[in-house]
Amino acid sequence: MIVNCTKDELLLNINIVSKAVASKTTRPILECILITADSDGVRLTANNLELAIETGNINAEIIEKGSVAPEAKMFMEIIRNLPENKVSIETDDKNSVIIKSGKSEFKIFALPGKDFPELPSVEKNFKYETSHTTLKNMIKKTIFAAAVDESRPILTGELLEIKESYFNIVAIDGFRVAFRSEKMKNHNENISVVVPSKTLHEVSRILSDKDDEAVFMYFTDNHALFETKDFTMVSRLLEGEFFKYENSFIDEYNTAVEVNRQELLSSIERATLIVKDMRKSPVEISIKDKMMVITSNTDVGTSYEEVYVEFEGDELDIGFNPKYLIDALKAIDDDKIRIHFMSNLSPCIIKGIESDNYKYLILPLRLVG
Amino acid sequence: MIVNCTKDELLLNINIVSKAVASKTTRPILECILITADSDGVRLTANNLELAIETGNINAEIIEKGSVAPEAKMFMEIIRNLPENKVSIETDDKNSVIIKSGKSEFKIFALPGKDFPELPSVEKNFKYETSHTTLKNMIKKTIFAAAVDESRPILTGELLEIKESYFNIVAIDGFRVAFRSEKMKNHNENISVVVPSKTLHEVSRILSDKDDEAVFMYFTDNHALFETKDFTMVSRLLEGEFFKYENSFIDEYNTAVEVNRQELLSSIERATLIVKDMRKSPVEISIKDKMMVITSNTDVGTSYEEVYVEFEGDELDIGFNPKYLIDALKAIDDDKIRIHFMSNLSPCIIKGIESDNYKYLILPLRLVG
């Protein structure tokens, strides 16, 4: 293989596929990036067997076709540090990669391209359209609520659900639910799949948050495929039954407040400054007299905060793991939000006042004393 | 104690003294910041027994005199997150600190101010003047060569030397020497003291690199005192005999090159990309034909770089731990530098072509094969 290319073009594309490079593995080939130069063009591919990413054809001149898989980290470091933009990449008969630029020349050992695992084949039956920003945002604003511990593996993923003309993403860790919904442009079959959050985290890192370009999604029983004009990503799915989240979001309430999101967030963040273990020390919220009073009380000292609210229904004292409130409040863009409570033993539901494209549910902590 | 102040003024001064707060210690008081409000004014102090820092009087209103020592990290976090700029700080009879701002109130446990260790007293016999930028630069551009391992404790410090009208700072770790020299404004007695590098590192972090304001230095047998208009720092000295560095910098050479510093630096940095253990894999430099050829050869592969040089004397092949070359080349500002070599078993000396306010000496590594 002999390919001429530029450093900029290579770095851009290495950066895309790098999110699917395995970091700790017993199979060295999964830590490599596959470079392919064939009659279609030049492409880069990475595949950690959970997520695979392949670029479209990159801007490069093929002198001799072939393929090779250098170790990703070293290949990236070398390309990044080359003295000139013009780069030539070639292989010798021992599968070394020779990288030349200006008066620098590197020769690094690599693995044969033919040993690289192929992308899972995904039949493109139904096509669903969303955009970079929409998908990235929906992931970012829910993923924190996915389970970290592996005791119920299905909850370590996020539910991607296409239901009538809505695209929903839902995460649940047993203590809270994060729900985001967007209207779909086109609607085919209903779909309900669970994608590992680790994979979705990488997917969200590749998607641009400035770009409203299309992302096409395809689903099979085992895989989700995300396709943009620059790359294709294929993620494995988790098997099992996801939690039936719909019944958790009840409409009844005994106490409702409308409050400035940023003021509430800052007050809770301050109250946590003296909290060392958030799971054990609840932040206490008292609602009365058009006020939320937020207090914390730990070995270190005490804190007291007042936030003005519009208030309807019963007065209430309730305790929360402040991290859960902070995560949800940070994920919301609205200036003003609505919170519904049933009692100090039932979850609260945070939602928009005007939009209903997000809902966050949080279980309370029992107050001591 | 009751003091009114602003968040900005407090943060600025907490930031200064925080460099002398102990991080791991069995004496909790050393992890605190002392707040003193007396007839002189309001001051902050931190003291980890190696380095002590005290601010000048800060802009604050004293309602009631007193002193108290809250835990530094928590105090800083609380002040940083307060909702309004106006802050009141008071103590109660249990030595708690009560911090109020807007609708926030914190009460955190603290230690009595009287338990805080006093600043070492330093007699101000002779006064030496330098500036923020000079002192900061001289430290930053030498400190990397101080010994890290404690086998010869004296080498874990830097030599501060006032000799005739020059102020020199020298660091030596057994494999290299870093030397910086500046002309003094005023000259008193000659001085030669060794300051722990850990302390100097913190000193350099407080000094401004934009500010050419004066720093006054005073020395006793046990302490160095640095005084600026905003704060006073007192550092403990190391005891023992420093290495006689002067004899290492010989003037003879068999090979001399003049080379563009940035080009050489970039080439060596690239050559290290394939080096995993810098102590074991030397980067090899071959000097001939107006060229330095820089190569490396490891398990991972090989690299080759050419750099144009002006060259005088014998041809030479020599190996170095590339980290030592990189550290020295990064610490120099000049575009072009001069390097002297005796043989491939003797140290090289890197120096300025026009200025002689810096010299770096590096021992070679023996080339294998």
Side-chain angles (χ1 to χ4, degrees), chain B residues 104-326:
Chain B
S104 295
E105 184 176 325
F106 287 88
K107 184 170 175 177
I108 55 170
F109 304 116
L111 295 169
K114 65 177 174 37
D115 293 355
F116 202 83
E118 289 202 24
L119 246 62
S121 76
V122 173
E123 256 187 87
K124 296 184 175 177
N125 291 324
F126 292 108
K127 177 175 179 174
Y128 303 89
E129 182 176 347
T130 179
S131 74
H132 274 253
T133 38
T134 305
L135 184 57
K136 186 183 181 97
N137 262 322
M138 291 178 75
I139 296 173
K140 265 174 53 184
K141 289 165 184 301
T142 51
I143 199 165
F144 55 82
V148 176
D149 87 274
E150 305 269 343
S151 61
R152 294 163 72 188
I154 192 80
L155 295 187
T156 62
E158 288 205 275
L159 179 71
L160 269 62
E161 181 180 61
I162 289 152
K163 210 169 166 184
E164 311 311 325
S165 57
Y166 285 94
F167 174 33
N168 305 329
I169 296 191
V170 188
I172 296 178
D173 67 3
F175 304 100
R176 52 182 168 169
V177 184
F179 169 92
R180 286 267 163 180
S181 177
E182 292 286 340
K183 207 147 168 50
M184 290 293 273
K185 278 192 187 167
N186 58 341
H187 173 246
N188 290 306
E189 294 279 292
N190 283 353
I191 286 283
S192 173
V193 300
V194 181
V195 183
S197 338
K198 215 165 59 181
T199 314
L200 282 178
H201 177 71
E202 299 304 333
V203 169
S204 80
R205 286 174 61 201
I206 310 175
L207 294 168
S208 159
D209 42 9
K210 283 170 242 159
D211 195 351
D212 230 17
E213 229 165 279
V215 177
F216 299 105
M217 303 185 287
Y218 305 88
F219 301 95
T220 65
D221 288 349
N222 301 312
H223 292 100
L225 184 149
F226 305 91
E227 191 177 71
T228 76
K229 73 173 178 36
D230 297 318
F231 52 84
T232 301
M233 300 178 280
V234 184
S235 169
R236 194 173 64 79
L237 300 180
L238 289 177
E239 280 171 44
E241 190 79 16
F242 202 72
F243 184 76
K244 296 261 167 286
Y245 70 92
E246 297 89 339
N247 308 328
S248 311
F249 288 108
I250 53 165
D251 285 329
E252 295 88 59
Y253 58 87
N254 290 322
T255 306
V257 295
E258 290 187 13
V259 58
N260 180 292
R261 181 184 62 84
Q262 187 56 55
E263 274 182 34
L264 181 58
L265 175 58
S266 301
S267 292
I268 296 172
E269 284 182 323
R270 278 194 296 272
T272 62
L273 292 175
I274 62 158
V275 174
K276 285 188 179 161
D277 185 342
M278 302 220 195
R279 286 163 308 171
K280 288 186 187 151
S281 305
V283 160
E284 182 172 346
I285 296 177
S286 295
I287 303 166
K288 62 177 168 189
D289 303 338
K290 299 204 164 202
M291 205 69 90
M292 278 174 113
V293 172
I294 295 137
T295 52
S296 57
N297 189 339
T298 69
D299 296 351
V300 181
T302 59
S303 79
Y304 177 95
E305 302 275 339
E306 287 179 358
V307 179
Y308 170 81
V309 295
E310 286 162 49
F311 159 45
E312 169 196 334
D314 302 343
E315 295 186 348
L316 182 74
D317 287 331
I318 187 166
F320 287 104
N321 175 335
K323 183 181 186 311
Y324 295 167
L325 288 172
I326 290 171

Side-chain angles (χ1 to χ4, degrees), chain A residues 71 74 77-79 81-83 103-109 266-267 269-271 273-276 291 298-308, chain B residues 74 77-79 81-83 103-109 266-267 269-271 273-276 291 296 298-308:
Chain A
E71 200 259 322
M74 175 134 310
E77 278 308 302
I78 289 175
I79 300 295
N81 284 282
L82 289 177
K103 288 185 175 164
S104 295
E105 184 176 325
F106 287 88
K107 184 172 176 176
I108 55 171
F109 304 116
S266 302
S267 292
E269 283 182 322
R270 279 195 295 272
L273 293 174
I274 62 159
V275 174
K276 285 187 179 161
M291 206 68 93
T298 69
D299 294 353
V300 180
T302 59
S303 79
Y304 177 96
E305 300 276 338
E306 287 178 359
V307 179
Y308 170 81
Chain B
M74 174 135 309
E77 278 308 303
I78 289 174
I79 300 296
N81 284 283
L82 289 177
K103 286 185 176 165
S104 295
E105 184 176 325
F106 287 88
K107 184 170 175 177
I108 55 170
F109 304 116
S266 301
S267 292
E269 284 182 323
R270 278 194 296 272
L273 292 175
I274 62 158
V275 174
K276 285 188 179 161
M291 205 69 90
S296 57
T298 69
D299 296 351
V300 181
T302 59
S303 79
Y304 177 95
E305 302 275 339
E306 287 179 358
V307 179
Y308 170 81

Side-chain angles (χ1 to χ4, degrees), chain A residues 101-121:
Chain A
S101 168
K103 288 185 175 164
S104 295
E105 184 176 325
F106 287 88
K107 184 172 176 176
I108 55 171
F109 304 116
L111 294 169
K114 64 175 173 44
D115 293 356
F116 202 83
E118 290 202 24
L119 245 64
S121 76

